[in-house]
Amino acid sequence: MKSNYIKEGVNNAPHRALYHALGLTNEEVERPLVGIVSSYNEIVPGHMNIDKVVEAVKLGVAMAGGTPIVFPAIAVCDGIAMGHQGMKYSLVTRDLIADSTEAMAMAHAFDALVMVPNCDKNVPGLLMAAARLNIPAIFVSGGPMLAGHVDGRKTSFSSISEAVGEFNAGKISEDKLREYEVKTCPTCGSCSGMYTANSMNCLTEVLGMALKGNGTIPAVYSQRIELAKHTGMQIMELVKKDIRPRDIMTEKAFMNALACDMALGCSTNSMLHLPAIAHECGIEINLDVANEISDRTPNLCHLAPAGRHYIEEFDEAGGVYALMNELNKKNILNTDCLTCTGKTVAENIENCQNMNTEIIRLIDNPYSTTGGIAVLRGNLAPDSCVVKRSAVAPEMLAHEGPAKVFDCEEDAMEAILGGKITDGDVVVIRYEGPKGGPGMREMLNPTSAIMGMGLGSTVALITDGRFSGATRGAAIGHISPEAAVSGPIAMVRDGDIISIDIPANKIEVKISDEEMKKRTLEWQPREPKIKTGYLARYASLVTSGNRGAILETK
């Protein structure tokens, strides 16, 4: 055991004295010390129940012969941070979470970790930490929120976001907007659609780092507590067998995650997080592989915001394992990968039945024969950009129109709500990338305003920032290189014609190479928006979105 280095022998008596100061008995000190990384707080709805999950994990660890010790991880609620300076601090917490967990685990010589995250950056941040530390680790999330109900229809966070646009367009009353406000998010948990948090929790199952149901069992179900107890027990099996994260998160496992990402139609943020997690495992993912996997992986689910189904229904249909079993009918997955169960993917998903072929389409009857996410390239994004293809209206899969250019989200919102965006336009929001933002803000408010005002089937939006998993429509993000490092998006001018062809994986601004070169030579770097504190340090180290916005030491 790693902790024996600081627990055994005469010279370690001072360490043992501090364990006794914690109230630990000799018996507890002699057992494996299991850190429980708790993302509990009272500001994020997805985390307000995590204290109950953590207590269940602790019980499971103790039942299986370990000593559970809790320490915290921070969390930002993307919804509350949305649309103001707070969103600059969302993505950047992924690295703070990874770094602080590494610091706590190394400083205290834990033998293993149980990660208890839930929302957008905690899951990838803790997966990055698990890969970096490479001591036995397992995940159990706080679980998804139940869907809300308005006028007999299920709703999710994107419903209230789009209702704001509908109100501003005069389509609904203030009373109806208020009804959406109080009914859209009815329980604790990560927001009820296939947004970033639920995407990453489902992909944690696919990667093999969490037990069955981690991504789908609703937060308010008692089954979530049972899952937490079993997770606490299972970490002790991983300790006994010395199964570590990098034994599980192999290149083949990441290919499985990308395939399931395509089948599920996950948030485009997964295209930031999977490369960043893989990087910590010593694996580099070129996003071009995403299109190769998409070409052979059918899209089987249209969960909100792409469709009218929600995570609770996906769970009832059999969840992640049922989806994986459906994909396995055409040998799309690497089924020999080891998982945290101690078994292979093949053993895990055997006999996991698809209980509702409307929620999880049969592999011979998909929504589309290609996956839910597409990576585009062209003279506007030579290093790539990303779109959630499954959430784009069919008539917008190919679109050409004049650019309306904005250098920040706020200016774009003012124009959209002010009626200055018209049918056919391509809204360009730049200097919102990882370095230029800094922090790569999500553009949920502009996309929701476009949808709510009835422009979703005629207007596209492109950005070097990113999108919430709640975004739908022709929303293309992560344009790389970003504007702040003289990427071509910085050279676009009002009225330039932008051509988007999602089936062909192309995005272009229709100007000549000579004109692009001329504009690039004339371009001048912008003054950094923030010059002090963590964001300034982050901006100095971060890469563009195509590399997962990882931090790179110069």
Side-chain angles (χ1 to χ4, degrees), residues 451-483:
M451 297 302 296
M453 297 182 77
L455 297 170
S457 60
T458 59
V459 170
L461 188 151
I462 68 173
T463 181
D464 55 6
R466 62 194 179 93
F467 296 110
S468 165
T471 286
R472 63 189 178 105
I476 299 167
H478 311 186
I479 287 185
S480 302
E482 61 174 294

Side-chain angles (χ1 to χ4, degrees), residues 39 44-47 49-50 75-79 82 90 116-125 127 139-145 157 188-207 210 213-217 219 224 261 264-271 273-274 277 303-305 311 314 320 388 442 466-471:
S39 299
V44 184
H47 292 224
N49 66 319
I50 279 179
V76 163
C77 176
D78 276 22
M82 194 72 66
S90 171
V116 191
N118 208 26
C119 289
D120 296 26
K121 310 309 168 300
N122 293 76
V123 183
L127 283 165
F139 281 65
V140 59
S141 75
M145 183 184 291
F157 186 70
C188 63
S190 48
C191 294
S192 57
M194 187 52 77
Y195 306 152
T196 306
N198 293 327
S199 294
M200 294 309 302
N201 279 319
C202 286
L203 294 182
T204 301
E205 280 190 61
V206 180
L207 283 169
N214 176 66
T216 59
I217 297 170
R224 173 67 48 183
D261 192 328
L264 279 168
C266 289
S267 163
T268 52
N269 281 315
S270 63
M271 294 293 106
H273 299 321
L274 288 174
I277 299 160
L303 301 169
I311 298 296
F314 180 48
V320 174
K388 188 170 184 175
E442 289 183 342
R466 62 194 179 93
F467 296 110
S468 165
T471 286

Side-chain angles (χ1 to χ4, degrees), residues 380-392:
L380 191 52
D383 289 344
S384 79
C385 57
V386 177
V387 62
K388 188 170 184 175
R389 173 167 41 194
S390 60
V392 178

Side-chain angles (χ1 to χ4, degrees), residues 1 24 27-28 31-37 53-70 110-116 136-140 225-240:
M1 290 191 301
L24 296 180
E27 292 83 359
E28 287 174 302
R31 295 173 179 174
L33 301 183
V34 179
I36 316 296
V37 188
V53 177
V54 166
E55 288 302 314
V57 170
K58 287 174 65 179
L59 183 57
V61 170
M63 288 167 63
T67 298
I69 301 174
V70 178
F110 284 107
D111 297 301
L113 297 172
V114 180
M115 311 295 200
V116 191
I138 194 170
F139 281 65
V140 59
I225 300 301
E226 294 181 36
L227 176 67
K229 291 175 184 175
H230 284 130
T231 301
M233 296 178 207
Q234 188 59 27
I235 190 61
M236 299 310 299
E237 289 298 310
L238 297 179
V239 170
K240 289 173 189 174

Side-chain angles (χ1 to χ4, degrees), residues 264-293:
L264 279 168
C266 289
S267 163
T268 52
N269 281 315
S270 63
M271 294 293 106
L272 283 176
H273 299 321
L274 288 174
I277 299 160
H279 179 75
E280 295 290 351
C281 293
I283 299 165
E284 298 304 317
I285 294 179
N286 183 322
L287 285 185
D288 287 336
V289 75
N291 283 339
E292 295 171 20
I293 291 172

Side-chain angles (χ1 to χ4, degrees), residues 95-161:
D95 295 276
L96 285 173
I97 291 159
D99 292 349
S100 59
T101 301
E102 174 194 0
M104 288 293 288
M106 294 300 292
H108 301 102
F110 284 107
D111 297 301
L113 297 172
V114 180
M115 311 295 200
V116 191
N118 208 26
C119 289
D120 296 26
K121 310 309 168 300
N122 293 76
V123 183
L126 290 177
L127 283 165
M128 289 164 66
R132 192 183 300 174
L133 290 161
N134 204 33
I135 61 175
I138 194 170
F139 281 65
V140 59
S141 75
M145 183 184 291
L146 294 179
H149 293 82
V150 175
D151 296 332
R153 293 181 295 108
K154 288 188 174 181
T155 60
S156 59
F157 186 70
S158 52
S159 306
I160 178 62
S161 299

Side-chain angles (χ1 to χ4, degrees), residues 435-516:
K435 191 178 292 289
M440 204 177 189
R441 288 196 288 180
E442 289 183 342
M443 301 293 138
L444 176 61
N445 285 353
T447 56
S448 295
I450 287 169
M451 297 302 296
M453 297 182 77
L455 297 170
S457 60
T458 59
V459 170
L461 188 151
I462 68 173
T463 181
D464 55 6
R466 62 194 179 93
F467 296 110
S468 165
T471 286
R472 63 189 178 105
I476 299 167
H478 311 186
I479 287 185
S480 302
E482 61 174 294
V485 295
S486 75
I489 191 174
M491 313 310 154
V492 178
R493 296 175 182 173
D494 280 335
D496 285 346
I497 300 301
I498 292 176
S499 173
I500 299 164
D501 190 338
I502 294 172
N505 304 114
K506 289 183 179 179
I507 183 168
E508 294 183 336
V509 55
K510 291 201 161 184
I511 60 174
S512 67
D513 292 345
E514 290 74 18
E515 178 64 17
M516 180 67 79

